[in-house]
Amino acid sequence: MVQALDAVLRKLGGTARRWRFDRMSTVCYASSGQITAAFAGVAKYYGVGVDICPPRRGNRKGVVEKMNHTAAQRWWRTVPDHLTVGGARTTVGELAAAEPLLEVPAVPFPAELTVERTVSAQGLVQFEGNFYSVPPGLPGARLFVVHRLGEDVVSIATAGRAVIARHRRAPRGAGQTVRDAGHVIALERRVLESFSDRAPCKTKVRRPPSEAALAEADKLRNRQATGSTAERVVVDLSHYVAVAEGLRTVPPPKEEENEE
């Protein structure tokens, strides 16, 4: 959220003196409305005050926006040009100059953005639309990509926060693949080591049954019927075949009358 706020403020060229937020957990405690210590540091860094919307006012924001829309589209557009709210004619530029925005610090608030990613089969991790290399031997591993706002470096760390790679941060959404030269050399070496000059595997050989297999077959063929009824039953499908053959042909009508 801090990253998005800073980007919007820099596009506007400044910031207002006070910020208003809903009761979101990233800004305040929902139960009391008290600002969290983490976001208090952000507000102090940008030199602004923070206002939290009162509880149980979910439609307040929409009501305010609708009132602004009504004032601008249904009332203000009908006012003649020679009439003004303050009694004196002015311009938008003059009003903006009278109420300047506060300057934004030279660098963003030093917040760290940490996301979890899975290493691909090519030894790459994805972050903000770009791919960054890691040492070979980590396909499928879960790593953390860490970026501090205001810096041009992206760090890749393990679950124990051990940094295993550091890269130049590519522009967001550029689709670039950033590889470290050491990672490329290590990956090539790992691939070349997997090759072998051994003879290829032999095709499947058909071997005769072993003595144990023959003995087991004789045991099955010569097994005597036990007292179990299920083991004495032998299913002979020839009876079913004979019945099915008889049902395939229909006797002629004369034969049917003689039978009657």
Side-chain angles (χ1 to χ4, degrees):
M1 187 185 66
V2 176
Q3 183 183 23
L5 279 173
D6 185 86
V8 172
L9 295 178
R10 295 188 185 281
K11 289 184 178 180
L12 293 175
T15 175
R17 289 169 172 78
R18 303 196 67 83
W19 293 348
R20 180 177 291 275
F21 290 95
D22 296 333
R23 291 182 170 244
M24 55 180 62
S25 59
T26 52
V27 176
C28 66
Y29 299 102
S31 58
S32 62
Q34 183 180 1
I35 302 175
T36 61
F39 196 79
V42 177
K44 183 178 180 180
Y45 182 82
Y46 289 96
V48 299
V50 178
D51 297 326
I52 304 300
C53 292
R56 295 177 293 277
R57 297 293 189 276
N59 60 344
R60 179 169 181 173
K61 182 179 179 182
V63 171
V64 173
E65 292 177 351
K66 189 59 180 178
M67 291 175 61
N68 294 337
H69 178 267
T70 302
Q73 301 297 327
R74 298 186 180 180
W75 182 82
W76 188 256
R77 292 176 59 186
T78 62
V79 176
D81 295 338
H82 64 277
L83 296 180
T84 61
V85 178
R89 298 185 63 178
T90 184
T91 62
V92 176
E94 293 174 351
L95 291 175
E99 299 180 1
L101 297 174
L102 298 179
E103 293 185 1
V104 180
V107 295
F109 180 78
E112 278 191 356
L113 177 63
T114 303
V115 294
E116 188 177 6
R117 293 290 185 267
T118 302
V119 182
S120 67
Q122 294 76 26
L124 300 173
V125 294
Q126 186 271 343
F127 178 68
E128 292 184 340
N130 300 293
F131 298 89
Y132 301 90
S133 66
V134 296
L138 297 173
R142 302 291 292 180
L143 301 178
F144 292 91
V145 182
V146 183
H147 173 240
R148 183 183 290 272
L149 300 184
E151 295 184 357
D152 296 332
V153 177
V154 173
S155 301
I156 303 175
T158 61
R161 309 299 293 184
V163 178
I164 61 174
R166 196 182 298 272
H167 298 279
R168 169 192 57 82
R169 179 173 175 263
R172 186 185 184 95
Q176 297 183 8
T177 300
V178 182
R179 290 184 181 272
D180 185 86
H183 297 165
V184 175
I185 296 173
L187 184 60
E188 291 179 353
R189 185 176 301 148
R190 179 66 64 88
V191 173
L192 293 176
E193 289 176 354
S194 63
F195 288 99
S196 175
D197 56 356
R198 293 177 298 179
C201 298
K202 296 181 179 179
T203 58
K204 184 177 180 180
V205 180
R206 296 186 178 274
R207 298 181 176 87
S210 62
E211 296 182 358
L214 294 175
E216 199 66 30
D218 293 338
K219 187 186 299 183
L220 292 174
R221 284 194 290 264
N222 301 328
R223 184 175 57 182
Q224 299 295 331
T226 61
S228 175
T229 306
E231 294 184 2
R232 293 199 304 267
V233 174
V234 178
V235 179
D236 188 359
L237 298 180
S238 59
H239 300 288
Y240 295 96
V241 174
V243 174
E245 291 293 340
L247 295 175
R248 288 183 180 179
T249 57
V250 179
K254 295 181 179 181
E255 295 183 1
E256 293 181 357
E257 293 177 359
N258 296 332
E259 291 178 358
E260 292 177 0

